[in-house]
DNA sequence: CTGTATCCGATAAGATACTG
DNA sequence: CAGTATCTTATCGGATACAG
């Protein structure tokens, strides 16, 4: 969505942390709003843009498109173009995507049962 | 560090997601910069403010204090005041804190070995 | 149907100065 | 030693308009 400025401590510190441990890269990705919801919704069988948009109620086109791009860039989903007019696309999880989904389920279980918010 | 405004779609959507699943609350917490590093550093035996600050090199007082407050508020660490002058405090993980740390290790392993960034 | 472009408000991180 | 207060800047999410 936006590039990061090279000349700032903000940028420098984030880079430092991401180099220190990839966990920080992963958290930076999955903590983006709606991202895990998009992943889960695809897993549940919502494979099309409009279907995802409906299942997620309040998400905007802009953000949904961005999250799909991020998920694809990081190898968590595959995108395929179906022939015909109007154009149709289909999204499915990769094996890495479903592995991440399982890990997030574990975190979710912890959050629901053990955390105090 | 800062309060959230009640009258904005930004706030409304975040609330919607947090109510939908606590995973979103947890991710909102652990994705705050330095937070997991502070957790891991305490686990490794850095139990004092200054010791943590040294182990994390570039973290500021402000952020370190904030992250310690958040971790304590959510029951992930305990804070104890040691008697004497100058004042000393000590931080240790709770059982929930180490459970979360284990889950994050799993995520970290995934990030290091399976993810493409 | 499946997106993209541009602008703007809200928030998070950091800089600096200060304190019991 | 262990923090707090105030201010600034960068970034993120969202609104609106538009398009192949």
């Amino acid at each position: 969505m936006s590039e990061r400025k090279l000349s700032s401590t903000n940028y420098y510190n984030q880079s430092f942390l991401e180099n220190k441990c990839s966990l920080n890269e992963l958290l930076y990705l999955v903590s983006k709003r709606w991202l895990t919801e998009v992943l889960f919704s695809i897993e549940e069988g919502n494979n099309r843009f409009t279907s995802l948009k409906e299942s997620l109620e309040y998400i905007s086109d802009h953000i949904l498109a961005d999250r799909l791009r991020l998920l694809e860039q990081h190898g968590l989903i595959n995108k395929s173009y179906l022939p015909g007019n109007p154009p149709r696309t289909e999204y499915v999880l990769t094996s890495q995507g479903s592995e991440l989904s399982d890990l997030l389920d574990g975190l979710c279980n912890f959050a629901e049962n053990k955390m105090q918010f």
Side-chain angles (χ1 to χ4, degrees), chain A residues 68-105:
Chain A
L68 288 169
R69 196 179 311 120
L70 286 170
L71 287 167
E72 192 195 6
Q73 274 172 10
H74 291 89
L76 298 168
I77 63 175
N78 278 326
K79 175 176 184 172
S80 39
Y81 299 89
L82 307 180
N85 199 12
R88 289 163 169 257
T89 58
E90 195 175 62
Y91 299 96
V92 290
L93 295 200
T94 60
S95 63
Q96 297 176 337
S98 45
E99 190 171 346
L100 179 58
S101 169
D102 291 344
L103 285 168
L104 292 172
D105 279 340

Side-chain angles (χ1 to χ4, degrees), chain A residues 23-36:
Chain A
L23 174 62
N24 292 304
E25 283 183 279
L26 181 57
L27 288 177
Y28 181 70
L29 178 68
V30 300
S31 67
K32 283 181 179 290
R33 196 177 289 176
W34 300 103
L35 192 131
T36 61

Side-chain angles (χ1 to χ4, degrees), chain A residues 12-26:
Chain A
Y12 185 85
N13 279 348
Q14 182 64 24
S15 304
F16 168 77
L17 290 171
E18 293 184 357
N19 287 330
K20 184 172 181 181
C21 176
S22 308
L23 174 62
N24 292 304
E25 283 183 279
L26 181 57

